[in-house]
Structure formats: C-alpha cells, structure tokens
Amino acid sequence: MASAWTWILVTTLLALAQGANAVCSTSISNRVFASCQDLPSLGASYAWTFNNATNSVDFAFTEDMQVAGGWVAWGINPTNGPIMPGTQALVAFQNSTALTVKEYNVTLDVRDSGAPLLPSPVSVNYTNISAEVSSTVVTIFGTFALAAGQSAKINQVWNRGSAVALTNFQLAQHDLSPANLLSAGNIDLSTGIATAAGLPHQKLKNTHGVFNAVAWGILLPIGVMSARYLRMFAWADPLWFYMHIACQLTGYTLGVVGWGLGLQLQKYATPIKYYHRNLGIAIFVFATLQVLAVVLRPKKESKVRPFWNVYHHTIGYLCIILIIVNIFEGFELLEPASKWKRAYVAVLIVLGVVSLVLEVLTWIVWFRRRQQSKLELKNQV
Ligand SMILES: *[C@@H]1O[C@H](CO)[C@@H](O)[C@H](O)[C@H]1NC(C)=O
Ligand SMILES: *[C@@H]1O[C@H](CO)[C@@H](O)[C@H](O)[C@H]1NC(C)=O
Ligand SMILES: *[C@@H]1O[C@H](CO)[C@@H](O)[C@H](O)[C@H]1NC(C)=O
Ligand SMILES: *[C@@H]1O[C@H](CO)[C@@H](O)[C@H](O)[C@H]1NC(C)=O
Ligand SMILES: *[C@@H]1O[C@H](CO)[C@@H](O)[C@H](O)[C@H]1NC(C)=O
C-alpha cells in the first residue's frame, strides 16, 4: 500500500512541479506556427516557424505582464550568450493610447551601473512587428532573418516589469527574483527541437521545493498527529500505528528524493546556502535515526521502552520544528510566487488548529479515563 501511495504522490508532485508554466500553443490569434515551447520561467512561451527558403523566422512570444501598466520583453542576444547585457530586445507596453512595441539595445551599463533603459536602435533586423494583449497577457509577433551561415540556435532573453515612463519610454527595472534573473536560454529554431537550456536548475529547485514541502513539511506532521491523537480512541488501535508508519515512510521516502535534489543543487548555488543545507542534513540525520529507532524499538513490556518513547518523541518533535524552519528558509531562497508560501502557511494553520482541538480532546479523554479507573478501584474496595 505504501508503494502505491508513493507512486500516486510522486506523479502528482511531478505534475505540480511542471504545471507551474504556461502551456504553449502553435495557434495564436489566427496565426499558425510550426513549433512552440514553454520557456522555463515567468510562465512565458515561444512559438515559431523557421522558413528554410528565406532563412527567416516568424515568431510569437507570449508573457503575462501582470499589471496593465507593465512591460514584457523578448530579445535575441547575438553576441554574449543567454544573458541580459547585449540583448537586442523588443518591448511591448501600453502607451497612452495603445499597445506598442519598441526596440531596446540592452547594454552592460543598464545592468551594472543602473543606466536608464531607453528605446534605442538594435542590431537584429526585426520586421513586421506587432503585438496583442488580452487582459495583461501580451503576445509580440515578428520576423527576423538569420544571416547566411548563422546558426539557428539563438540565445533568447525575456523578462517583465511593472512600469514604463510614458514621457521617454524608460523601462522600470524588473524584479530581482530568481525567476526574473534566470529568464534566458537557447532555442534551436531550425530543427524545431527547442533546448530551452541554460536553466535546468530552476526546474530542479522547484521540484526540490515541492517534494520537500509536501514530504517533510506536510506528510510527516500528519504522521506525528495520527500517532499522538488517534491513539486515544480504542477503535483506532492499531490503525493509528499503520497510519503513522504509512505517513512517515512515504514522507521519508519522498523527502529523501527531495533532499537528494537539494544536494544536486549545491552545484548551482553560488554561494552555497550553508544554513539551509546544514539544517537539511540535520533533518535527514534525525529522520533516519527515527526510522532506525522504529525498526529497533524494544517490546512494549520492556523496561527500557519508556526511555525509548521519550527519545522517539523528543527527536520527532525537534525534527518537525527544524523542518518547518528550513521550509521557510527555502521559501526565502527560492522566492516562488507568493501563493505557494500562502498555501503552505494555510496548511500549517489547518494542521495547527486540528492539533489544538485534538490536544484538548485528548486531555479530556485522559481525565475521564483516570476518574473512571479511580471509581472502579473504589468499587472494587
Ligand atoms: C534547408 O535548405 C538547405 C539549402 O537550401 C537544405 O540543404 C536543407 O536540407 C534544408 N533544410 C530543411 C530542414 O528543409
Ligand atoms: C502609441 O502606440 C501606438 C501603436 O504603436 C502608436 O500608433 C501611437 O502613436 C503611440 N502613441 C504615443 C502617444 O506614443
Ligand atoms: C548597442 O550598445 C552597444 C554598447 O553601447 C553598442 O556598442 C552597439 O553599437 C549598440 N548597437 C546598436 C545597433 O546601436
Ligand atoms: C531588414 O529586413 C527588411 C525585410 O527583409 C529589409 O527590407 C531591410 O533592408 C533589412 N534591413 C537591414 C538594415 O538589413
Ligand atoms: C506580417 O504579418 C502579417 C500578419 O501575420 C502577415 O499577414 C504578413 O504577411 C506579414 N508580412 C511579412 C512581410 O512578413
């Protein structure tokens, strides 16, 4: 049963981790493209047709600017790789009357010295540019030609921001969240094989986050609760034990997967996030001790069993505290959309309230039982 559970959870989690992006379409506003690709951050997508005869590319770039007065940008970086400086950008925004697209030559000064980003001539010959907006989701259409012999594998860079100065069309800086800093990659337009590369680690981070929040941060606390609170009901014996074991084993198994992904992430983290990493290692060690402790637990009648109980409970509660601290630390590092953090806080509140109610019930049951056994004792005497 535990393995079926694990399978269901893993597939759900993987779907969740991947579902964060938009779903691209090759058919946009009556125009049909040969290929499309979800870009790995900011929910953007790219559709295109490579025209072999003219060696040119028709494209449609779609991204949600999130606020009506914001901007979305897409561009090729022909010289410097998939990074911001050097990008020959097309930027769409609402001017005082209509949605408009302008060209911006994004220089190193913009990133490194805060130079204003103003409309400027670009080296890529973009033609037939237009844009459409639906609510705040913008699509930029256009065409560009590849020079003879130029590889069709381009460096693309995209982003979005919340404001544009309508006097000189200066763009307000985009956010500095990881998703905004990592919105770049490559795409091979000739083969239709899109290697939106350069960013495998963002997906890895998201998957690591989802696995760990669900496994360590939700399943394990539920397992602890089932052990503490179900046990008082006669009908729930030994059900509570199976629930406890099922939750903890599933949580531990998935958690170890998420933990392993975290170890992988050290390769990409500069600098390494030691606090988050060391807490993660401590949690893994404590949780592994807990699993071993269950395997090696003394019999119920054994004299050392009460000591084992104290040990198992102390390490268990300590572990839960460390887990919650580290999940919030993870939120700080990953900076996912705030709804994810809110969702986790909501889960914690629900678990907390349920625990509080059950805790009170447990004490009531405990007092009643004690009184009853006192009464029985008296009656016997
Ligand atoms: C594109 O055109 C070149 C020469 O014009 C040809 O060699 C190549 O096979 C074509 N590629 C595709 C995918 O049609
Ligand atoms: C606003 O954008 C539209 C479409 O690009 C353009 O025709 C119009 O002149 C622009 N208006 C101003 C005030 O810039
Ligand atoms: C873009 O800016 C860079 C750096 O200032 C400059 O060297 C380049 O010529 C500019 N490109 C165009 C097309 O003006
Ligand atoms: C840009 O492309 C258009 C259409 O293909 C062409 O007419 C124009 O001459 C090109 N401009 C430059 C500077 O290459
Ligand atoms: C420009 O785009 C429009 C709309 O998709 C299309 O009908 C037209 O053929 C394009 N023109 C060129 C020169 O590519």
Side-chain angles (χ1 to χ4, degrees), residues 85-103:
T87 299
Q88 308 297 298
L90 294 168
V91 182
F93 54 85
Q94 296 276 2
N95 69 13
S96 48
T97 54
L99 187 70
T100 183
V101 182
K102 291 193 179 294
E103 297 178 337

Side-chain angles (χ1 to χ4, degrees), residues 215-216 220 247-257 284 287-289 291:
W216 300 105
L220 292 194
C247 283
Q248 301 326 63
L249 271 190
T250 316
Y252 180 75
T253 312
L254 293 178
V256 168
V257 174
F284 171 75
T288 307
L289 284 178
V291 174

Side-chain angles (χ1 to χ4, degrees), residues 255-272:
V256 168
V257 174
W259 185 75
L261 296 178
L263 292 184
Q264 292 290 311
L265 280 169
Q266 291 186 86
K267 277 189 254 164
Y268 308 113
T270 44
I272 290 178

Side-chain angles (χ1 to χ4, degrees), residues 18-259:
Q18 285 164 0
N21 275 336
V23 178
C24 77
S25 167
T26 51
S27 174
I28 304 168
S29 286
N30 302 324
R31 304 189 202 190
V32 178
F33 297 88
S35 318
C36 80
Q37 171 76 24
D38 287 331
L39 301 182
S41 78
L42 300 175
S45 63
Y46 194 69
W48 75 94
T49 304
F50 181 67
N51 187 332
N52 199 29
T54 55
N55 208 24
S56 69
V57 179
D58 293 321
F59 69 89
F61 168 78
T62 304
E63 185 178 0
D64 187 347
M65 60 181 172
Q66 291 193 314
V67 288
W71 55 266
V72 303
W74 178 89
I76 298 173
N77 192 331
T79 46
N80 298 350
I83 57 170
M84 172 177 156
T87 299
Q88 308 297 298
L90 294 168
V91 182
F93 54 85
Q94 296 276 2
N95 69 13
S96 48
T97 54
L99 187 70
T100 183
V101 182
K102 291 193 179 294
E103 297 178 337
Y104 289 75
N105 179 12
V106 185
T107 63
L108 192 60
D109 285 351
V110 172
R111 189 190 70 184
D112 291 355
S113 343
L117 183 50
L118 298 166
S120 38
V122 295
S123 61
V124 176
N125 188 6
Y126 296 113
T127 53
N128 209 17
I129 298 300
S130 65
E132 284 174 10
V133 63
S134 159
S135 176
T136 52
V137 178
V138 173
T139 300
I140 302 175
F141 298 95
T143 302
F144 59 88
L146 297 169
Q150 185 189 344
S151 159
K153 188 169 176 182
I154 58 163
N155 307 307
Q156 61 172 344
V157 179
W158 64 99
N159 225 306
R160 68 173 166 223
S162 59
V164 181
L166 289 184
T167 44
N168 60 358
F169 305 121
Q170 182 183 339
L171 305 183
Q173 191 189 38
H174 56 72
D175 281 352
L176 296 175
S177 82
N180 290 84
L181 297 179
L182 294 169
S183 48
N186 312 106
I187 198 161
D188 190 336
L189 302 165
S190 63
T191 55
I193 299 169
T195 46
L199 290 174
H201 46 296
Q202 188 59 35
K203 203 158 240 177
L204 194 60
K205 282 178 185 168
N206 292 345
T207 313
H208 162 77
V210 173
F211 263 80
N212 284 357
V214 172
W216 300 105
I218 297 177
L219 282 176
L220 292 194
I222 290 178
V224 169
M225 285 165 65
S226 57
R228 173 151 181 85
Y229 300 121
L230 276 186
R231 187 154 39 170
M232 66 176 156
F233 303 110
W235 56 263
D237 195 20
L239 174 71
W240 71 265
F241 180 74
Y242 294 127
M243 247 190 99
H244 181 57
I245 294 284
C247 283
Q248 301 326 63
L249 271 190
T250 316
Y252 180 75
T253 312
L254 293 178
V256 168
V257 174
W259 185 75

